[in-house]
Amino acid sequence: MPNANEETPSALSQAQSRAVSELLRVAPVADDLARRFQEAGFSLALVGGSVRDALLGRLGNDLDFTTDARPQDVLKIMRPWADALWEVGIAFGTVGAQKNARVGGADRHFQIEVTTYRSEAYDRTSRKPEVSYGDSIEEDLVRRDFTVNAMAVALPEKEFIDPHGGLEDLASRVLRTPGTPEESFSDDPLRMMRAARFAAQLDFEVAPEVVAAMNEMAGRIEIVSAERVRDELNKLILSPYPRKGLSLLVETGLADRVLPELPALRLERDEHHRHKDVYDHTLIVLEQAMALEDDGPDLTLRLAALLHDIGKPRTRRFEKDGRVSFHHHEVVGAKMTKKRMTALKYSNELVKDVSRLVELHLRFHGYGTGEWTDSAVRRYVRDAGPLLDRLHKLTRSDCTTRNKRKAAALSRAYDGLEERIAKLQEQEELDSIRPDLDGNQIMEILGVGPGPDIGRAYKHMLELRLENGPMEHDSAVTALKEWWAEQEG
C-alpha cells in the first residue's frame, strides 16, 4: 500500500514516521497481534487516535486497530490471545480486549479495540448510526472524523498510510475533515462536538470551512442521543483547554442546543463586576478551579464552576440606583442545573453533587471578615458534607475581580474560614456531627416509639449541637425533656 508522503518526502514526515516505528517497536503486543491476523489471512493496522498520539509522543496503553476481518473472525483470532475479551461494541464492528504484556522491563496492561473497516451514516430521523463494512483501509480512513485521525500504520511491516494529509495538519495543529465537512457532519453530527473536544484536548485550531459547516449544521446535533452528547461534553470539560472547546460550541450555535444555559450568560452583567460579562467570568472561574485541582481533572468541580451562575439570567433585576441584582440566583441555578444535567442523562449522584455546589457557592459571601458564629461555621460544613473541599475550591475560584486589594481581602477571609473549620474539626470531629443523643436514646428517654415525633426531636437536638457544640449527657437529656414538654404543652 503506498505511503501518501512518498512523493513529497520531508524531514518532518520522515522523523515522525521513525517516531511511530520506534513507539511500535517498544509495543511488541501490536506486532504479535498483527502476525496472528496475518496468519489468518487478514490485514491489521494501528489507526486513528493511536497513530495521532504516537506522532505527538503520547501513545499510552490504549491501542486502536482496524482490519478487513469481520467481527466474528476477529473474535476467533483474539479469543486465545487476549487476557480478557468483550463484545459490547460488536454491533458497530468493534471487539475489545485487554492484553497484559511485559514491555521494556515493566508490566503493562493494554486496552485494545479492533474494528472492522466500516462506514457510518445517519438518516434524518435516526439517533443511531447505520454501520456497513468496507473492504479497504482507504475506504475506512475517508469516513474518519478528522484528517489527524485518518492516518494508519500497517502492521507488522509498519507502513505509514496518510491519504488525506493528516501528518501535515498535525504539524500545523489544525482540524480538517478528510472529505467535505458537510458530508462528514451529515454522516455523524456528533463530529461537530468532537471538533470542539479535540480543539480543547489538543489545543488545535479548527479549519474555517469546518467552523462554517458547524454553524450551518448545528441543528443536526439534535438527532444524536443525549448520552453521546454528554460523553463528548465530559471529554471537552475534562480537557486541558476547555475554554477553547466551549467557546467554539457557543460561537457555532451548538451550545444553544446542548447546553443553552451557557450562551445565555453572554449578555448578563455580574453584580460584583458591573462591566464583566458573566459568560467570560464563568470561563475564568472554570480555569481557576482547574488550577486548584489536586489529583487530576475533577468533573464534579468543573461542572459546578461552569454552571454556578446559570441562574442569573432568570433572576436579573434592574434596581432604582442603577445597579443590577441577581437575588437568589444560586437557588434558581441549582434547579436549572438539576434539570439540564438530568436531560443529559448524568447519574443521580453527580446531578445531586453539582446542584448542591451551585446552591452553596454564594454562602461564603455572608461571612464578611469573620462575623460568623461557630454554629454558622458548623452549619456551613454540615451543609457541604463530603463536598466541602470542592466548595472551598469553587468559592475561591469565583473571585475574578481585577481589584487586587479586594481579591486579597476575599482570599484572607476564606483563609480565616478554613482555619476556623480546621480548628473546630480538631475540637469535635466536625464533619461527622451528630446530636448528643441518638434515635434510640431519644425514644427511651421520651418513652415514644419510632415516628415523626422522634424525627423532630432528633432534628432539634442536632440544631442544639450545631448551635452550642458538644453537650454533657445529662444536659442533653434535660434539654430534650424541656423541648418535649413544650411540644406536649
Side-chain angles (χ1 to χ4, degrees):
M1 190 169 293
N3 184 327
N5 293 304
E6 282 181 351
E7 294 182 4
T8 56
S10 67
L12 174 62
S13 64
Q14 292 170 8
Q16 300 285 32
S17 296
R18 285 198 300 270
V20 172
S21 297
E22 179 62 18
L23 285 163
L24 289 175
R25 185 185 65 78
V26 298
V29 64
D31 287 343
D32 184 20
L33 184 59
R35 280 191 291 270
R36 290 175 178 268
F37 273 79
Q38 197 173 53
E39 290 167 2
F42 298 109
S43 301
L44 187 73
L46 193 72
V47 73
S50 291
V51 176
R52 180 198 70 222
D53 289 345
L55 290 165
L56 292 172
R58 44 181 271 177
L59 180 63
N61 291 348
D62 292 346
L63 302 177
D64 294 329
F65 298 92
T66 188
T67 180
D68 56 347
R70 296 303 192 251
Q72 292 305 320
D73 295 315
V74 174
L75 284 172
K76 289 178 184 177
I77 295 168
M78 296 185 69
R79 187 167 278 122
W81 176 82
D83 292 294
L85 202 66
W86 53 91
E87 305 176 27
V88 176
I90 201 164
F92 298 99
T94 299
V95 174
Q98 179 176 307
K99 179 65 175 178
N100 305 323
R102 192 161 184 82
V103 177
D107 292 325
R108 295 174 66 177
H109 306 288
F110 292 93
Q111 301 297 317
I112 291 168
E113 287 192 350
V114 180
T115 302
T116 302
Y117 298 158
R118 65 185 186 182
S119 60
E120 289 179 355
Y122 279 77
D123 64 31
R124 282 286 168 184
T125 58
S126 173
R127 284 183 172 268
K128 294 183 179 180
E130 298 174 359
V131 178
S132 60
Y133 298 129
D135 296 309
S136 71
I137 195 166
E138 290 88 356
E139 189 180 0
D140 182 81
L141 293 178
V142 76
R143 61 152 288 277
R144 302 265 164 178
D145 50 9
F146 303 104
T147 59
V148 296
N149 296 331
M151 298 178 283
V153 177
L155 301 171
E157 59 271 24
K158 300 182 181 63
E159 183 180 4
F160 184 53
I161 304 166
D162 181 22
H164 304 289
L167 186 59
E168 184 178 346
D169 287 340
L170 194 70
S172 302
R173 305 178 69 80
V174 64
L175 290 170
R176 289 190 307 108
T177 54
T180 68
E182 289 80 8
E183 289 173 339
S184 180
F185 297 156
S186 181
D187 284 347
D188 185 354
L190 190 67
R191 290 173 176 171
M192 294 184 285
M193 289 198 65
R194 286 168 66 84
R197 187 250 289 188
F198 282 124
Q201 282 184 334
L202 304 172
D203 195 20
F204 279 21
E205 299 304 318
V206 181
E209 68 274 15
V210 176
V211 175
M214 291 168 68
N215 271 288
E216 181 183 341
M217 303 179 67
R220 286 277 285 155
I221 197 66
E222 293 176 1
I223 71 166
V224 180
S225 69
E227 292 86 351
R228 294 186 76 211
V229 168
R230 175 204 63 209
D231 290 347
E232 279 300 323
L233 190 61
N234 285 350
K235 291 173 185 176
L236 190 163
I237 292 170
L238 292 171
S239 70
Y241 309 99
R243 173 192 279 264
K244 193 164 196 170
L246 292 167
S247 297
L248 186 59
L249 292 182
V250 170
E251 291 163 11
T252 57
L254 280 162
D256 289 325
R257 292 162 171 85
V258 301
L259 193 64
E261 295 81 4
L262 182 61
L265 297 174
R266 283 179 296 179
L267 300 179
E268 306 309 321
R269 293 287 181 258
D270 184 285
E271 73 271 29
H272 299 303
H273 314 279
R274 290 189 188 181
H275 306 294
K276 184 183 290 292
D277 192 300
V278 176
Y279 168 71
D280 187 59
H281 162 77
T282 294
L283 296 180
I284 294 172
V285 171
L286 173 59
E287 291 173 328
Q288 293 185 165
M290 290 166 58
L292 297 178
E293 290 172 334
D294 300 314
D295 301 311
D298 182 341
L299 182 61
T300 304
L301 176 62
R302 293 192 185 192
L303 282 169
L306 185 63
L307 301 173
H308 77 284
D309 273 349
I310 63 171
K312 283 189 171 179
R314 292 190 183 178
T315 57
R316 181 171 60 165
R317 296 289 182 274
F318 295 96
E319 307 294 348
K320 293 180 180 179
D321 61 2
R323 293 176 65 251
V324 179
S325 67
F326 304 94
H327 295 307
H328 306 300
H329 77 265
E330 73 281 12
V331 177
V332 173
K335 293 178 180 177
M336 293 172 65
T337 295
K338 182 178 180 180
K339 184 176 180 180
R340 175 55 51 197
M341 290 184 65
T342 300
L344 287 169
K345 308 294 185 182
Y346 280 98
S347 70
N348 292 337
E349 182 179 2
L350 190 58
V351 172
K352 180 181 176 183
D353 287 350
V354 176
S355 301
R356 188 63 166 158
L357 286 169
V358 171
E359 183 181 1
L360 294 175
H361 83 272
L362 278 189
R363 180 78 67 86
F364 162 71
H365 291 286
Y367 185 73
T369 55
E371 289 84 358
W372 278 4
T373 62
D374 283 352
S375 63
V377 175
R378 292 187 190 101
R379 285 188 174 86
Y380 187 75
V381 174
R382 180 196 65 179
D383 291 346
L387 298 170
L388 181 63
D389 184 58
R390 289 187 174 107
L391 182 58
H392 288 333
K393 293 171 182 174
L394 178 60
T395 303
R396 288 185 180 277
S397 303
D398 197 22
C399 175
T400 61
T401 178
R402 293 179 182 176
N403 184 322
K404 293 183 178 179
R405 291 179 62 185
K406 185 175 181 180
L410 284 168
S411 180
R412 284 195 302 272
Y414 209 86
D415 288 344
L417 175 59
E418 288 201 57
E419 288 170 6
R420 287 183 66 186
I421 289 172
K423 185 176 180 181
L424 284 170
Q425 282 175 326
E426 285 180 12
Q427 293 172 355
E428 52 186 272
E429 298 180 358
L430 188 55
D431 16 356
S432 56
I433 288 179
R434 298 289 184 274
D436 295 288
L437 300 171
D438 63 27
N440 289 328
Q441 290 172 313
I442 291 172
M443 286 189 287
E444 183 179 344
I445 293 166
L446 299 183
V448 176
D453 286 340
I454 299 304
R456 291 190 297 113
Y458 185 92
K459 184 176 180 181
H460 172 71
M461 295 306 296
L462 178 59
E463 288 297 319
L464 287 180
R465 175 75 166 77
L466 289 167
E467 191 67 37
N468 303 320
M471 300 172 67
E472 295 290 338
H473 179 76
D474 290 346
S475 299
V477 171
T478 299
L480 174 63
K481 289 180 177 179
E482 289 175 354
W483 174 83
W484 184 243
E486 292 174 3
Q487 306 309 303
E488 292 183 320

